[in-house]
Amino acid sequence: MSHSASHNSSPTTGTSGYERREVNVKLILFSTAVMVTIVLTVCFFTVALFDFLNKHSGPVDQTTTLQRPKETPPEPRVLEHPWEQLPVLRSTEDRVLNSYAWLDQKTDQVRIPVDRAIDLIAERGLPVAPRAGAQATVKKTMARSAAPLKENGGK
């Protein structure tokens, strides 16, 4: 049994398995020339448009933000030199958190160090809302808390 299969081979591919036609060089060069012409034309029109607008525009306000008087921005402001101001801020915070002071002598409000406040809460528990007749107990508690303040001279 003989098989006579006929394989269609196009004249451009032949029997070797690759295309034998050459590339159309004229079409590539023409396309490149057209693209370059279009790009140059767009650049030319863009420059011409900017020149036209510069010549026919109104007077330009020459005032800049640098020439205006300086206004202090509202609080909070950005620190100019935080690396210099941060240690001062930290020392102020430490002094406030670790010292005794009167907040209001009329109402017997004092500020005590954080460590002392933690110890007092651990010792006595959290304060509860005063009941009727418990006002004297609250004043005694306030007086005991203010005792170290009086010993330190009010600071």
Side-chain angles (χ1 to χ4, degrees):
M1 257 197 184
S2 97
H3 292 286
S4 65
S6 78
H7 297 286
N8 293 336
S9 62
S10 69
T12 57
T13 57
T15 57
S16 62
Y18 60 91
E19 189 173 339
R20 294 180 180 226
R21 280 190 321 181
E22 292 185 18
V23 181
N24 190 347
V25 177
K26 289 181 183 178
L27 181 61
I28 292 175
L29 290 178
F30 178 74
S31 299
T32 304
V34 169
M35 292 300 289
V36 168
T37 304
I38 290 172
V39 168
L40 290 177
T41 304
V42 168
C43 289
F44 171 75
F45 281 120
T46 304
V47 170
L49 178 65
F50 273 102
D51 285 342
F52 174 78
L53 291 175
N54 270 341
K55 290 177 185 175
H56 291 62
S57 65
V60 178
D61 183 20
Q62 296 296 327
T63 305
T64 65
T65 57
L66 296 176
Q67 295 172 341
R68 294 184 188 138
K70 285 189 175 183
E71 297 175 12
T72 305
E75 292 286 341
R77 290 186 200 87
V78 175
L79 298 176
E80 291 181 22
H81 304 288
W83 56 91
E84 295 172 355
Q85 296 167 338
L86 188 61
V88 174
L89 175 67
R90 293 289 186 238
S91 67
T92 304
E93 289 173 341
D94 287 341
R95 184 176 40 81
V96 168
L97 291 174
N98 297 314
S99 65
Y100 292 92
W102 281 103
L103 297 178
D104 188 5
Q105 286 186 340
K106 294 177 186 174
T107 59
D108 290 332
Q109 291 182 352
V110 295
R111 180 182 68 228
I112 61 174
V114 174
D115 294 333
R116 178 70 179 136
I118 292 171
D119 292 340
L120 288 174
I121 289 175
E123 180 182 301
R124 300 179 191 162
L126 290 173
V128 293
R131 287 177 251 137
Q135 191 71 350
T137 308
V138 172
K139 289 203 177 217
K140 288 178 186 176
T141 305
M142 296 284 285
R144 273 191 268 142
S145 298
L149 178 63
K150 291 178 183 174
E151 292 172 6
N152 290 337
K155 292 184 181 177

